[in-house]
C-alpha cells in the first residue's frame, strides 16, 4: 500500500501529547530520552505509522522543540504534523484536536507509553468504530487505601476499579465537542475518557495491556529500560 492509497482509505487521526515537562521524573524530558534505539515519542509514532487505517499523526510538543521534533520524525511518514502544546495535558490535546482536517476517528495516546502494539491498537480501534468512544484498562489488583504522607486511612474496595490507559479512541465529533465544553466550563481532567464521560456518554472498555507502562516516576524509566531489550526482539 502506497502512502497515497492509505490516505484515501484510512479513517483514524492520532494525537500524541508530548509537551509535558516530566517534573516527577526530573532530568531530560522523558519523551525525548533515548530508550533503546529511539526515544519514547518516536517509538509511539512508529507503532502508529505502520497501521493501514492511520494516515494523520499530530504530535503535540513543547513550543521551543517543534523544529527538532519535525526533524527527527521527518523520515517516518509524510502525514505527521507537529503543533505546540499548552500548559496542561488537556490543553495540549485540545491544540492537537484543533489541527485542520481530522479524519473520522481520533486516537489520543501519551508519548510516554512506548510499549503500544498492534494488538492493543486493534482492540481500541474496533471498539471506537463500534461505540464511538473506547479506551483500554486493566483491573486494579493491589489493595487500595486512601492515606496521607505517613499513614493509611480508609480502604477503598477495589471491585470495579480500573487503571485506564491510552490509546483512547473517539469519533471526532464526540471528542472535539467534549474538549470544547470542558474548556468553556474550566473543567480539567487527567485523560480524555473523563471529558467524554462527564455528561454520561458511555466509553467502552477494552482489555488493556500490562506491558503498556506509563513512564512517570524514576523507577518507571528503569523498568522501561529493562523491558525494552526484550520487547524489541519479540
Ligand atoms: N503532556 C502534554 N502537555 C502538558 C503536560 C503533559 O502534552 N502540558 C503530555 C506528556 O508529555 C505525556 C502525557 O501528556 O506524554 C502524560 O503526561 P505525564 O505523564 O503527566 O507527563 P508530564 O506532564 O511530562 O510529567 P509530570 O506530570 O511528572 O510533570
Ligand atoms: Mg503531567
Amino acid at each position: 500500500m502506497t502512502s497515497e492509497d492509505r490516505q484515501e482509505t484510512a479513517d483514524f487521526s492520532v494525537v500524541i501529547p508530548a509537551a509535558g515537562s516530566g517534573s516527577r521524573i526530573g532530568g531530560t524530558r522523558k519523551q525525548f530520552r533515548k530508550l533503546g534505539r529511539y526515544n519514547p515519542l518516536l517509538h509511539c509514532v512508529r507503532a502508529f505509522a505502520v497501521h493501514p487505517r492511520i494516515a494523520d499523526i499530530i504530535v503535540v510538543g513543547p513550543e521551543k522543540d517543534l523544529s527538532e521534533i519535525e526533524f527527527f520524525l521527518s523520515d517516518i511518514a509524510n502525514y505527521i504534523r507537529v503543533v505546540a502544546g499548552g500548559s496542561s495535558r488537556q490543553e495540549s490535546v485540545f491544540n492537537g484536536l484543533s489541527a485542520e482536517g481530522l479524519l473520522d476517528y481520533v486516537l489520543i495516546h501519551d508519548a510516554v507509553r512506548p510499549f503500544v502494539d498492534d494488538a492493543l491498537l486493534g482492540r481500541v480501534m474496533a471498539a471506537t468504530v463500534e461505540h464511538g468512544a473506547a479506551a483500554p484498562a486493566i483491573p486494579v489488583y493491589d489493595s487500595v487505601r486512601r492515606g496521607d504522607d505517613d499513614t493509611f486511612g480508609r480502604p477503598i474496595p477495589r471491585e470495579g476499579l480500573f487503571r485506564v490507559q491510552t490509546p483512547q479512541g473517539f469519533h471526532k465529533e464526540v471528542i472535539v465537542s467534549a474538549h470544547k465544553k470542558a474548556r468553556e466550563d474550566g473543567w480539567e481532567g487527567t485523560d480524555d475518557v473523563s471529558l467524554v464521560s462527564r455528561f454520561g456518554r458511555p466509553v467502552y472498555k477494552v482489555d488493556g495491556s500490562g506491558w503498556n507502562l506509563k513512564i512517570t516516576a524514576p523507577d518507571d524509566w528503569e523498568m522501561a529500560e529493562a523491558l525494552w531489550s526484550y520487547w524489541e526482539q519479540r
Side-chain angles (χ1 to χ4, degrees), residues 2-232:
T2 67
S3 124
E4 285 73 30
D5 289 342
R6 178 212 291 252
Q7 287 183 25
E8 287 194 0
T9 56
D11 52 357
F12 273 87
S13 292
V14 182
V15 172
I16 305 182
S21 56
S23 56
R24 284 169 288 186
I25 207 166
T28 307
R29 290 176 199 246
K30 54 194 178 176
Q31 62 272 40
F32 304 129
R33 272 190 218 171
K34 205 149 187 240
L35 177 65
R37 285 173 67 181
Y38 310 114
N39 62 40
L41 168 62
L42 191 42
H43 288 305
C44 292
V45 171
R46 288 167 59 90
F48 289 107
V50 294
H51 201 286
R53 289 185 77 165
I54 293 170
D56 179 33
I57 298 178
I58 301 153
V59 172
V60 189
E63 182 124 46
K64 66 173 185 43
D65 299 323
L66 299 187
S67 46
E68 193 183 330
I69 298 172
E70 266 165 14
F71 176 73
F72 73 69
L73 295 177
S74 58
D75 54 357
I76 297 188
N78 62 358
Y79 48 77
I80 301 176
R81 302 185 265 177
V82 183
V83 304
S87 60
S88 65
R89 181 191 182 279
Q90 185 171 315
E91 223 178 283
S92 294
V93 172
F94 180 83
N95 291 358
L97 292 170
S98 304
E100 291 282 302
L102 292 178
L103 301 177
D104 291 351
Y105 301 99
V106 182
L107 294 176
I108 300 169
H109 183 69
D110 289 333
V112 292
R113 290 189 187 266
F115 298 93
V116 55
D117 69 1
D118 239 39
L120 178 63
L121 260 185
R123 291 196 290 280
V124 176
M125 288 169 108
T128 299
V129 171
E130 191 177 348
H131 302 283
I138 51 180
V140 172
Y141 298 125
D142 297 315
S143 297
V144 182
R145 304 187 74 97
R146 260 190 206 291
D148 56 27
D149 285 349
D150 301 315
T151 55
F152 292 119
R154 284 186 302 111
I156 297 175
R158 70 180 166 209
E159 285 70 38
L161 289 189
F162 290 88
R163 295 160 57 198
V164 186
Q165 304 181 332
T166 70
Q168 300 179 356
F170 308 94
H171 191 278
K172 167 176 62 176
E173 279 151 27
V174 170
I175 190 63
V176 169
S177 59
H179 266 267
K180 284 187 177 153
K181 192 76 183 79
R183 206 174 161 83
E184 272 168 36
D185 298 348
W187 194 89
E188 190 89 28
T190 56
D191 72 348
D192 299 282
V193 167
S194 54
L195 268 67
V196 166
S197 58
R198 227 179 120 212
F199 299 104
R201 171 79 161 84
V203 178
Y204 196 83
K205 180 164 63 62
V206 303
D207 287 342
S209 161
W211 277 95
N212 190 16
L213 171 73
K214 176 166 177 283
I215 302 172
T216 305
D219 55 356
D220 295 324
W221 185 264
E222 288 171 25
M223 185 91 77
E225 281 191 313
L227 297 177
W228 194 263
S229 51
Y230 171 78
W231 179 259
E232 263 181 329

